Amino acid sequence: MKKIDTSKWGDFKVGDLFDIHPTKAYKLTNSKLMSENGTNPVVVNSSYNNGIGGYTELKNTETGNKITFSDTTSADAIFYQENDFVGYPHVQGLYELGEYKGKWNKYSYLFFLTGFKSAAFCLGFDYVKKFNREIAKEIIVKLPVDSKGKIDFEYMEGYMKSIEEKVIVNVTNIQEIVI
């Protein structure tokens, strides 16, 4: 894949694009929250499995199409949640703000997520030096812009869709070899 020229991209402060606050949580013990028969994902303070720590029968507390992160772990716990889910204590959500509210979708979020996560990794967070919402609000993410200096959602979506298509082709090719 050829290198992307980011020299004409814009710098955007995360706190200008998103309000960051805790997701709605039931604040129950895991034994009361999680269920073997549950179908609603519970996003927890984990760096694995897209942050999903289990499933519950309780009603979802959050809508999907949002980025979440744990403020008790490292930058490894930043994820895109495509589907509705149940929040958990110390899981923060990014809620759209301002002129770009309503313009984000799966592909633009995945594009943004890459820059956001990379910037957070560079700051060296771990279980001692916690990644929290105050720090997250100040992170600058480089994003493609149009001729007016506005975020170029069309570029982000197109780029991520092309990546997705390549992955599908590669997985299909691998499956054909294995089968």
Side-chain angles (χ1 to χ4, degrees):
M1 183 166 282
K2 66 181 187 176
K3 187 173 175 159
I4 301 173
D5 178 12
T6 62
S7 62
K8 294 180 182 163
W9 287 15
D11 291 334
F12 294 88
K13 190 161 84 168
V14 172
D16 291 340
L17 301 174
F18 301 99
D19 176 35
I20 303 173
H21 61 266
T23 57
K24 295 178 199 87
Y26 283 106
K27 298 181 182 168
L28 300 170
T29 61
N30 284 348
S31 63
K32 292 189 183 200
L33 178 63
M34 308 288 185
S35 166
E36 286 184 27
N37 299 321
T39 56
N40 294 329
V42 180
V43 177
V44 300
N45 303 309
S46 173
S47 298
Y48 302 98
N49 196 30
N50 210 51
I52 298 170
Y55 294 86
T56 185
E57 294 178 44
L58 297 173
K59 184 179 176 189
N60 287 315
T61 59
E62 297 286 334
T63 58
N65 195 45
K66 97 175 15 91
I67 292 176
T68 60
F69 67 88
S70 171
D71 66 7
T72 63
T73 63
S74 67
D76 288 327
I78 303 170
F79 298 107
Y80 169 70
Q81 304 301 330
E82 185 172 9
N83 301 309
D84 295 353
F85 63 95
V86 172
Y88 200 76
H90 296 284
V91 171
Q92 306 295 315
L94 273 66
Y95 300 84
E96 300 172 12
L97 280 175
E99 67 180 296
Y100 302 114
K101 187 174 183 175
K103 295 187 177 184
W104 296 91
N105 66 24
K106 172 185 173 180
Y107 298 103
S108 54
Y109 269 130
L110 290 172
F111 191 101
F112 171 83
L113 178 70
T114 303
F116 181 48
K117 205 167 191 173
S118 294
F121 272 123
C122 290
L123 296 172
F125 296 101
D126 57 28
Y127 285 88
V128 176
K129 183 182 174 189
K130 307 275 188 230
F131 181 61
N132 64 48
R133 69 177 169 257
E134 295 310 315
I135 293 168
K137 287 178 186 178
E138 298 303 316
I139 287 178
I140 302 296
V141 177
K142 218 173 213 357
L143 295 172
V145 294
D146 61 21
S147 61
K148 296 177 183 168
K150 303 293 184 186
I151 296 174
D152 190 343
F153 286 92
E154 189 175 309
Y155 175 87
M156 292 189 296
E157 293 168 23
Y159 184 82
M160 294 310 289
K161 285 179 180 179
S162 73
I163 297 279
E164 183 179 62
E165 288 169 11
K166 289 175 186 173
V167 169
I168 290 168
V169 167
N170 288 335
V171 168
T172 301
N173 290 340
I174 290 169
Q175 288 173 332
E176 288 174 1
I177 293 170
V178 173
I179 295 175

